[in-house]
Amino acid sequence: DSGVTQTPKHLITATGQRVTLRCSPRSGDLSVYWYQQSLDQGLQFLIQYYNGEERAKGNILERFSAQQFPDLHSELNLSSLELGDSALYFCASSVGEQQRYGYTFGSGTRLTVV
Amino acid sequence: KNEVEQSPQNLTAQEGEFITINCSYSVGISALHWLQQHPGGGIVSLFMLSSGKKKHGRLIATINIQEKHSSLHITASHPRDSAVYICAVTQGAQKLVFGQGTRLTINP
């Protein structure tokens, strides 16, 4: 157990639907990062939150949004789902704002859009 | 062209062999990372390095900043080393940028 908890582990949903993925960071970590891993694109950074505030944005679609709550857990919301959104979604957490000083990945949520 | 390139994409070897996975990058970096992803999907950070060499058990990671190249070596490989190995870089305070990964299979 890495200490970073992601739920659910698996999610199957239909096109056009909306889902919410949840991430609880390791105790003491203030930053949460979201990543998407698809077969054709590999791992890509989506967005980072630090202590409740958005810090960096990557290749995140407008249909996707995220937030970090006062208890530091984070949610990634995916709406108007398309087949191409099927992927593994990982979150990672770190103590500070930068991953170059250390981070921990969660085990991921596998999203299948049918 | 990707900012981070790995080779080979796939590697199959026999148990006991010495394994080398290469990573080249085209941008200035603050750190280079080697990650391991097992078939179940979970990702584990193996090394973070900005210069020289690091060793952990049978794993060794080296980096040449001038040549913008890093290698991950596995000595006395074992079937449990079978996984996808991913190279990633951070530029300053920026997020991780990943290579496409190397799928390693070690046969008994």
Side-chain angles (χ1 to χ4, degrees):
Chain A
D1 181 8
S2 68
V4 179
T5 304
Q6 288 190 246
T7 57
K9 291 198 183 316
H10 302 276
L11 196 48
I12 301 175
T13 190
T15 54
Q17 295 298 304
R18 172 189 169 94
V19 297
T20 297
L21 312 183
R22 182 188 170 105
C23 171
S24 293
R26 204 176 51 158
S27 178
D29 287 357
L30 299 179
S31 271
V32 171
Y33 311 80
W34 285 99
Y35 293 91
Q36 179 193 57
Q37 186 179 36
S38 59
L39 281 175
D40 56 344
Q41 295 288 329
L43 269 164
Q44 290 193 96
F45 168 72
L46 294 178
I47 196 164
Q48 176 201 358
Y49 281 84
Y50 175 76
N51 205 21
E53 294 188 4
E54 184 184 304
R55 273 291 185 264
K57 218 167 187 176
N59 301 323
I60 188 165
L61 299 172
E62 285 191 14
R63 299 183 286 109
F64 297 180
S65 65
Q67 55 184 325
Q68 186 178 30
F69 294 86
D71 67 352
L72 300 177
H73 91 271
S74 178
E75 293 181 356
L76 179 67
N77 301 296
L78 314 176
S79 61
S80 302
L81 284 167
E82 303 175 358
L83 295 177
D85 298 326
S86 296
L88 265 169
Y89 291 84
F90 288 98
C91 79
S93 70
S94 66
V95 172
E97 291 186 60
Q98 299 180 24
Q99 284 189 281
R100 60 177 168 164
Y101 299 123
Y103 51 89
T104 305
F105 275 88
S107 57
T109 293
R110 185 176 295 277
L111 173 67
T112 303
V113 182
V114 297
Chain B
K1 185 174 168 27
N2 292 333
E3 293 173 306
V4 181
E5 296 275 355
Q6 285 185 239
S7 63
Q9 288 190 336
N10 294 282
L11 179 56
T12 300
Q14 291 299 120
E15 183 173 356
E17 286 188 35
F18 181 81
I19 303 299
T20 296
I21 299 171
N22 295 300
C23 175
S24 296
Y25 52 93
S26 57
V27 295
I29 66 168
S30 55
L32 184 138
H33 310 249
W34 283 102
L35 310 170
Q36 181 191 55
Q37 185 172 25
H38 273 285
I43 297 175
V44 174
S45 174
L46 297 174
F47 295 105
M48 271 192 300
L49 61 166
S50 54
S51 64
K53 176 179 173 178
K54 286 191 175 180
K55 184 176 191 291
H56 182 70
R58 294 179 295 105
L59 299 174
I60 303 165
T62 64
I63 187 168
N64 184 318
I65 297 292
Q66 286 73 30
E67 295 188 4
K68 295 188 174 177
H69 180 270
S70 174
S71 293
L72 176 68
H73 304 287
I74 304 175
T75 62
S77 60
H78 190 275
R80 66 175 174 267
D81 297 325
S82 298
V84 175
Y85 292 83
I86 302 168
C87 172
V89 300
T90 43
Q91 299 171 254
Q94 297 303 307
K95 74 291 183 184
L96 289 169
V97 177
F98 300 90
Q100 287 294 96
T102 295
R103 185 175 299 278
L104 175 65
T105 304
I106 303 296
N107 293 318

